[in-house]
Amino acid sequence: MAAIGWYAMLRAGVQLVHDDWKAAQKYKQDIGNIIIDLSHQERGLEKWKNKWMISKYTPDEIFSTYWGEEELRIIQHKLSLIETNSREIKKELEKITALKENEWIAMSDHKKKRKAKFIWTKKSYIQKLIDKVPESMGAIEEAANRGWEVQKERLYRGIANNTPYHTQIAQLLVKIATQTRHDLNALCQCTRAVREFSIKLDLDLFDAIAAISKDIHSAAVAAVAAAGHMRLDLLLRESESPTAEMVRARVERSLAIPDGHARATDAFKSVMTAPQASIHYFAFNTSTIFSLCKSARKGDPCSSTRESLRQKISRNAPPSYEKRANKLRPCKLILGDLSTFRVAYELSQACLIFLRTTWISEVCGCGLRCGGRQLSSIGSWYEFGLNMETIHQPPRWHNPNNSSNGSSVIEGLMSDSWCMAHNSWNAMNKPLRRLGLLLLEITLGTIVMKTESDETGSVTNVSLLVRGTPPAFRIQKIPLEKALALVANAVHGSDGFSDAVECCLTRVLDQAPVDAEWEDLLKTLYFDIVKPLKDLYDLKLTTFPISRHPAYA
C-alpha cells in the first residue's frame, strides 16, 4: 500500500510549484494536466483501499480471507509493479516529492522557474506511471472481486448481505476476544475489591459512535487488535454519593513494568482527584499490571447520574397484553428508537468479546446503566455502561395507585427476578440466554419474571409482568415464538432484531469447546447476533437528523 502514500507526496510537491503563478506561467497547462492525472490515480487507489476497509493496522490474514491465496498473489504482484514503478519515478523526482512550502517560498524566482522546468522535462516519466497504473488497477479490482465472490461462497455461505466490513470485524473481534480474556478477568477481580467506588464499563468499546464511516471504525478495531490489548473506559463515582458526577478514566494493560504501583483501591482514589495527565498503576499479580488515568470526551453525558434499566422500567406501568391479538399496549421503546438499537448492538458486541470471561455471565438489567441527555432533534439520547460487579435488584414497577401505600413503585421479591433464578443453562449458554432476556426487557419495556427451558437449555416460554383488570398486575406466560413476534412489532418489523434475540435464547453451545473450536464459534455468533444488530443500528443512524456523534455536535 506504499504507492498510495507516495502519490500524495508527489502530487503535493507538483501542486506547490503549480500554485505559484510566477513559476507556472509558461508550463501551467502541462503541469496542470499532470496534477489532474495524479489526483485521479490517487483517488482511485484510495477508493479501492476504502472499499476493502484497508488501514495500516489491517493484518495480512484479512487479505487471504477476503480474496483467497490465488487471487491475493495476483493483487500483491500488481501492487508490487505499481510500487516498483513508483520508486523509479520517485528517484527522478525526489526533489519534488520532498519539497516543503517554506523551502519553496525561500527560493529565488530563477530557481522556481528551473524547478518548474524540471517537472515539465520529466513529465514523460510521470506519464509512464500514469499510463501503467490503470491496467494494474483494473487487474487488481478484477482479482479482488473474483476472489471475494469465491470466498463468500466457500466461507460464508448462507450469510445474508455479508460485506468486507463484517468479514474483517468478525475476524478482528475474535482475535481481540482471545487476546483480552485473561486481562479482563484480572481487571474484574481488581475492581471488585474496590468497595469505595461504583465502577462501570463504557459499552462504546471502540468509540464507534464517533466514527463517521465504516472504514474508520474498522481501522479503530484493527488498531486494538494490532496493539494486543484493549483500552477500556471506566465510569467512576464514590459509592456513598449516588448522585455525584461521574469521572471517566481509561484503563489498559501496562506493557512495561513500572517502577512502582499501588493497590487498586489507592489507584482509583488517586485518579479521582489527580490532574488529567497523571497515570496511576495497580497490579493483579507481578506480571499483570494496569495503568489508569483520567479520560475525556467532548459533551460526555457520563457526568449525569446513571440509573439501571430496572430503575428505568420502574418509572412506567407495565403494558397490557391482548392475548388473542398477541399485542402489548402501549407498545413503545422506553429508550427511544436510536438508543434501543445502539444498546442492543453494544451489548451483543461486549458479550461476544467477553464470552469467555466470568464477568459477562451475570449480565442483566440490574447492571446495565443508562446515562442520557436531551437532543432537540431526537429527544432522549442515551449512553450505556455495565457494572463491573452486578448487584442484583428485585423487580420494580410503577404503581398507578400510589395513594394506597404512599409509594409510586411496587417492589417484588428477589425470587421473582429471572436474573436470580437457578436455570438449567450451562456455563456456555448462560451469557447468551441472559443477553437474550435483557434484550426482551429493553424492547418490550417490562420485566421478564420467569423463564422455562427444554432439556437442551433452550428457552421455550417467558413470563412477562403485564397490567391486569383486575388485579392491577399479573404475570403472563407467553410462548417464545409469540414473545419474539412482540419484539419484532416493538422494533417496527425489523426481523433481524428478533432473529438475534431468538439465537440468544435457543442456540445450544457445547459445554467445553476446545481452543481450536472457539474461533469458528465466535465468528458464527458474530454473524448471527452482532451483525444484524449492527446493520439495524447503522440503518437507524441514517434516518435521524443528527451528526454521527451528537455529543460532539
Side-chain angles (χ1 to χ4, degrees):
M1 304 305 162
I4 297 174
W6 180 83
Y7 258 93
M9 293 172 62
L10 175 59
R11 183 186 54 76
V14 175
Q15 184 78 51
L16 188 61
V17 177
H18 175 264
D19 287 345
D20 193 314
W21 67 271
K22 292 180 182 178
Q25 292 299 312
K26 183 177 180 181
Y27 313 109
K28 184 173 182 179
Q29 183 175 357
D30 287 336
I31 295 176
N33 291 337
I34 290 172
I35 291 171
I36 292 172
D37 289 341
L38 285 172
S39 298
H40 178 73
Q41 299 292 345
E42 183 185 358
R43 286 196 301 270
L45 284 165
E46 284 288 350
K47 184 178 179 180
W48 179 81
K49 185 185 76 167
N50 292 339
K51 172 185 176 180
W52 296 102
M53 311 290 164
I54 297 171
S55 72
K56 63 181 180 180
Y57 301 108
T58 307
D60 290 342
E61 59 265 25
I62 294 293
F63 304 137
S64 57
T65 302
Y66 276 169
W67 306 310
E69 295 298 336
E70 182 178 348
E71 302 299 344
L72 177 58
R73 282 193 293 269
I74 295 174
I75 293 169
Q76 289 173 330
H77 174 66
K78 292 298 183 179
L79 284 172
S80 178
L81 290 178
I82 293 175
E83 293 181 16
T84 299
N85 199 36
S86 299
R87 283 194 296 270
E88 293 175 2
I89 304 303
K90 180 181 178 182
K91 184 177 180 180
E92 295 293 333
L93 298 177
E94 189 170 4
K95 292 181 180 179
I96 298 299
T97 59
L99 188 61
K100 301 293 189 297
E101 185 174 3
N102 61 333
E103 296 171 351
W104 175 256
I105 294 173
M107 286 183 185
S108 65
D109 286 352
H110 176 68
K111 286 187 176 181
K112 287 181 178 180
K113 289 178 181 179
R114 287 179 59 190
K115 187 72 70 174
K117 186 176 181 180
F118 175 78
I119 294 175
W120 185 78
T121 58
K122 294 290 185 178
K123 69 179 187 296
S124 62
Y125 287 94
I126 303 174
Q127 198 63 51
K128 179 182 177 182
L129 174 65
I130 292 171
D131 291 343
K132 286 188 174 183
V133 167
E135 180 183 350
S136 294
M137 277 307 303
I140 288 171
E141 291 174 354
E142 288 179 6
N145 293 335
R146 187 169 56 243
W148 172 245
E149 291 302 318
V150 172
Q151 290 294 94
K152 276 202 304 183
E153 181 67 17
R154 187 174 73 88
L155 299 178
Y156 303 105
R157 181 184 299 177
I159 297 174
N161 304 315
N162 191 22
T163 62
Y165 168 79
H166 282 301
T167 297
Q168 181 172 162
I169 294 297
Q171 198 158 327
L172 292 173
L173 291 185
V174 170
K175 186 175 183 179
I176 291 169
T178 302
Q179 293 169 335
T180 59
R181 175 190 178 191
H182 297 295
D183 285 354
L184 190 77
N185 276 331
L187 178 63
C188 281
Q189 290 192 44
C190 290
T191 56
R192 288 174 178 178
V194 182
R195 297 299 179 184
E196 292 88 343
F197 298 98
S198 170
I199 304 174
K200 302 165 182 59
L201 172 69
D202 189 330
L203 276 177
D204 188 3
L205 300 178
F206 303 102
D207 201 17
I209 193 62
I212 60 175
S213 62
K214 288 184 176 180
D215 59 302
I216 293 176
H217 177 234
S218 63
V221 179
V224 172
H229 68 282
M230 293 186 72
R231 295 183 177 95
L232 300 173
D233 274 13
L234 303 180
L235 309 173
L236 318 173
R237 65 166 171 76
E238 294 182 357
S239 298
E240 296 181 356
S241 304
T243 61
E245 288 194 352
M246 306 188 79
V247 173
R248 179 180 291 273
R250 179 157 292 179
V251 63
E252 62 181 302
R253 172 82 174 268
S254 179
L255 300 182
I257 304 298
D259 293 335
H261 56 266
R263 296 182 309 141
T265 298
D266 296 329
F268 279 92
K269 283 182 179 178
S270 298
V271 81
M272 291 289 285
T273 57
Q276 195 76 19
S278 181
I279 300 177
H280 308 271
Y281 297 93
F282 60 94
F284 172 69
N285 54 34
T286 56
S287 61
T288 305
I289 298 176
F290 296 96
S291 66
L292 183 70
C293 65
K294 280 184 178 176
S295 179
R297 181 180 290 173
K298 184 179 178 182
D300 192 354
C302 89
S303 60
S304 63
T305 302
R306 289 189 174 243
E307 60 182 355
S308 71
L309 180 69
R310 282 288 172 90
Q311 292 168 319
K312 183 77 176 170
I313 289 176
S314 70
R315 292 207 210 141
N316 304 288
S320 60
Y321 176 67
E322 298 176 10
K323 186 174 182 179
R324 179 173 295 180
N326 191 39
K327 298 287 185 182
L328 289 176
R329 302 189 188 280
C331 178
K332 73 171 188 175
L333 300 171
I334 61 173
L335 297 174
D337 279 14
L338 189 59
S339 293
T340 295
F341 283 91
R342 179 186 180 186
V343 71
Y345 156 61
E346 290 184 348
L347 279 168
S348 66
Q349 178 179 248
C351 282
L352 180 80
I353 294 175
F354 305 136
L355 185 64
R356 299 182 74 182
T357 69
T358 56
W359 169 64
I360 206 67
S361 63
E362 295 300 315
V363 65
C364 67
C366 306
L368 176 63
R369 316 298 290 192
C370 313
R373 57 181 297 189
Q374 288 294 123
L375 296 174
S376 58
S377 58
I378 63 171
S380 296
W381 167 269
Y382 293 93
E383 296 216 351
F384 301 94
L386 274 180
N387 286 348
M388 295 300 288
E389 180 177 19
T390 297
I391 299 175
H392 294 292
Q393 305 165 355
R396 300 182 177 96
W397 59 93
H398 177 72
N399 179 17
N401 304 314
N402 57 4
S403 58
S404 61
N405 58 11
S407 174
S408 62
V409 175
I410 297 176
E411 184 171 297
L413 302 174
M414 290 296 291
S415 57
D416 294 330
S417 178
W418 66 263
C419 58
M420 290 294 291
H422 297 286
N423 295 289
S424 59
W425 310 323
N426 63 39
M428 283 295 300
N429 294 319
K430 184 178 179 182
L432 289 183
R433 300 293 181 267
R434 296 179 75 91
L435 172 61
L437 294 173
L438 178 53
L439 293 178
L440 274 180
E441 292 190 337
I442 290 170
T443 51
L444 301 184
T446 189
I447 302 168
V448 176
M449 304 293 282
K450 297 177 182 178
T451 66
E452 294 178 10
S453 303
D454 61 19
E455 64 278 2
T456 69
S458 295
V459 174
T460 55
N461 298 287
V462 296
S463 295
L464 304 179
L465 181 73
V466 297
R467 191 178 303 176
T469 53
F473 306 102
R474 61 189 174 88
I475 297 175
Q476 177 67 51
K477 180 178 174 180
I478 302 176
L480 180 60
E481 182 180 357
K482 289 190 174 183
L484 293 173
L486 293 175
V487 170
N489 184 57
V491 294
H492 318 300
S494 301
D495 291 337
F497 200 110
S498 56
D499 290 343
V501 174
E502 181 178 16
C503 179
C504 291
L505 295 177
T506 61
R507 179 67 54 83
V508 178
L509 304 180
D510 291 337
Q511 173 66 19
V514 297
D515 287 344
E517 297 171 332
W518 268 104
E519 180 176 344
D520 289 339
L521 170 61
L522 292 175
K523 280 184 181 179
T524 299
L525 293 178
Y526 174 86
F527 284 108
D528 289 346
I529 300 173
V530 183
K531 176 187 178 296
L533 296 177
K534 179 65 165 71
D535 286 342
L536 289 169
Y537 174 53
D538 285 342
L539 180 62
K540 189 62 62 174
L541 275 175
T542 65
T543 65
F544 279 86
I546 60 172
S547 63
R548 182 71 172 178
H549 195 329
Y552 288 80

